[in-house]
Amino acid sequence: MTKILKATKDNLIKAKELLLNGELVGFPTETVYGLGADGTNKKAVSEIYKVKGRPSDNPLIAHVHKDYDLTKLVKNIRPYALDLIKAYTPGPLTLVFESKGVVVDEATCGLNTLAIRIPLKKEAQELLKLVDIPIVAPSANLSKHVSPVTAEHVYKDFEGKIPLIIDGGKCEGGIESTVLDVTGEVPEILRAGLITKEMIEKVVGVCKVAKHKEGEKAKSPGVMYTHYRPKTNTALFTKEEIQKSIELYEEYIKQGKTPYFMCDEDAKKDLVGKNILYLGKTAEDIASNLYYKLREGEEKADIIIAIEPAYNGGVYEGVLNRLRRACK
Ligand code: AMP
Ligand code: MG
């Protein structure tokens, strides 16, 4: 039996008890829903990999509350990392430090580093404050499926497999956190997200972006996997290819099927009268709606025909990266 409960004090205490007892709990953050476990409990951490079907070389992020003493978990924190913590946490930024080994090897996949996040969402802060231990939490979806942004999404993937999901409504951010390696002299983005390169440069002055070449071991293993795939057909076109995308749409209509476009404000203007999963106007809107609309599309569309927003940089980096891997 999997319960979905509102984030009241009593229910958060229930969540705490389950977590301390080695069980898994779904909970909301400002990015996506997480599937939490006690990061110091080997068995609980292994259970995450099992229920998700997650590859065992894809490490987990440890979540702590905003007053948690990070030096309990990590060492050699650089001054610029402290500046970033001050500027952007609590928030959708994950920082990779040298680990002290308190969070178990099963969670870090044997790496000597640990990724830490201090989520902003009120319900997540409250839960983390109550437990006062590092909670490791990947996104609460089956491995390779679209990340969840509502409690119902989590339920769809884990009904009967976890005891509790804390319901905090729809996640506002909508895409996973920026993962930033802060072990080096210069910070390096391993995964793009809502905290952008430009925002990091504003605080530190410089920021690298990891590019992994074919055949090379990635620093952030998660970025190597196909991810976020909806359970329906997908196709991806650029804005210039819109005519071709309309031909594909018409082909599906002719066959008596239900195609949907997925697009931003710009492309929508060329698709009047057609079925549309509308992502919004700004990069932030698109990030916020992307997974929600992919999940909606897999329920009702025979194909999702996605049109890439015609912009780069800032939050578009994170958005394009997810959209391409979901729909290619
Ligand atoms: P998920 O929670 O499913 O969005 O995935 C978390 C991602 O964070 C992983 O896939 C990695 O890419 C990244 N990550 C977690 N721990 C580390 C680490 N120690 N070093 C580098 N990247 C990490
Ligand atoms: Mg994930």
Side-chain angles (χ1 to χ4, degrees):
M1 257 281 285
T2 302
K3 280 190 189 148
I4 301 183
L5 298 176
K6 292 264 174 251
T8 61
K9 186 76 193 260
D10 281 355
N11 291 336
L12 290 174
I13 289 172
K14 276 182 201 152
K16 168 191 169 171
E17 283 163 359
L18 287 166
L19 286 166
L20 295 183
N21 205 21
E23 307 229 37
L24 308 188
V25 173
F27 69 98
T29 79
E30 71 278 17
T31 58
V32 303
Y33 273 71
L35 181 64
D38 174 355
T40 63
N41 179 333
K42 286 175 186 287
K43 215 165 144 251
V45 173
S46 302
E47 190 62 22
I48 285 191
Y49 285 86
K50 212 164 101 196
V51 298
K52 272 188 65 106
R54 185 178 176 97
S56 61
D57 62 348
N58 190 2
L60 305 177
I61 296 169
H63 294 65
V64 293
H65 64 77
K66 64 178 174 30
D67 302 316
Y68 193 88
D69 178 6
L70 296 186
T71 63
K72 286 203 247 176
L73 305 179
V74 298
K75 56 191 175 192
N76 300 332
I77 302 178
R78 291 177 183 264
Y80 78 74
L82 290 175
D83 295 340
L84 288 169
I85 290 171
K86 196 157 165 228
Y88 299 124
T89 72
L93 176 64
T94 294
L95 298 168
V96 175
F97 297 99
E98 287 175 47
S99 178
K100 278 190 171 170
V102 174
V103 170
V104 297
D105 274 359
E106 283 74 3
T108 55
C109 305
L111 296 171
N112 56 8
T113 53
L114 174 67
I116 293 197
R117 187 158 115 73
I118 307 165
L120 176 65
K121 197 167 177 72
K122 184 170 94 320
E123 294 84 346
Q125 273 295 321
E126 280 172 20
L127 178 60
L128 292 166
K129 189 95 199 178
L130 274 176
V131 293
D132 200 29
I133 53 167
I135 295 295
V136 291
S139 50
N141 52 279
L142 291 170
S143 192
K144 299 201 171 80
H145 193 207
V146 181
S147 294
V149 292
T150 66
E152 289 70 31
H153 291 164
V154 182
Y155 189 82
K156 277 229 160 85
D157 282 14
F158 295 112
E159 183 192 354
K161 293 186 187 146
I162 61 172
L164 176 62
I165 301 162
I166 294 293
D167 187 352
K170 182 170 175 265
C171 304
E172 307 81 12
I175 59 171
E176 300 85 349
S177 60
T178 304
V179 178
L180 188 71
D181 183 347
V182 293
T183 61
E185 255 168 60
V186 172
E188 183 173 19
I189 293 180
L190 305 182
R191 174 174 78 185
L194 292 171
I195 304 294
T196 62
K197 180 174 191 279
E198 294 77 5
M199 289 165 75
I200 293 160
E201 281 171 343
K202 214 163 148 190
V203 173
V204 187
V206 282
C207 177
K208 295 193 283 186
V209 178
K211 294 247 180 313
H212 33 84
K213 298 171 199 98
E214 204 78 42
E216 205 174 75
K217 199 165 188 278
K219 272 202 198 160
S220 195
V223 300
M224 297 300 283
Y225 298 105
T226 52
H227 243 101
Y228 328 115
R229 276 201 84 65
K231 291 177 189 143
T232 188
N233 296 318
T234 57
L236 182 67
F237 293 91
T238 63
K239 185 82 186 5
E240 288 81 61
E241 298 170 321
I242 199 133
Q243 217 35 55
K244 239 166 82 189
S245 75
I246 293 174
E247 284 164 25
L248 179 63
Y249 181 96
E250 298 299 348
E251 224 172 86
Y252 268 76
I253 293 284
K254 240 188 252 161
Q255 291 170 19
K257 295 202 172 134
T258 309
Y260 268 83
F261 278 107
M262 196 168 74
C263 66
D264 69 354
E265 178 76 16
D266 286 354
K268 192 169 158 238
K269 293 180 189 136
D270 296 328
L271 303 170
V272 178
K274 305 208 163 27
N275 298 329
I276 287 179
L277 297 158
Y278 176 54
L279 294 174
K281 193 167 177 168
T282 65
E284 286 77 10
D285 291 341
I286 297 169
S288 175
N289 293 323
L290 183 62
Y291 292 148
Y292 192 86
K293 290 293 169 182
L294 284 169
R295 290 247 183 182
E296 187 181 325
E298 73 179 6
E299 298 288 327
K300 64 184 189 189
D302 291 313
I303 185 169
I304 299 172
I305 304 173
I307 311 295
E308 282 187 8
Y311 304 95
N312 285 302
V315 172
Y316 280 107
E317 292 300 311
V319 162
L320 288 170
N321 162 291
R322 269 77 170 186
L323 183 66
R324 284 175 185 153
R325 283 191 298 145
C327 294
K328 236 177 192 161

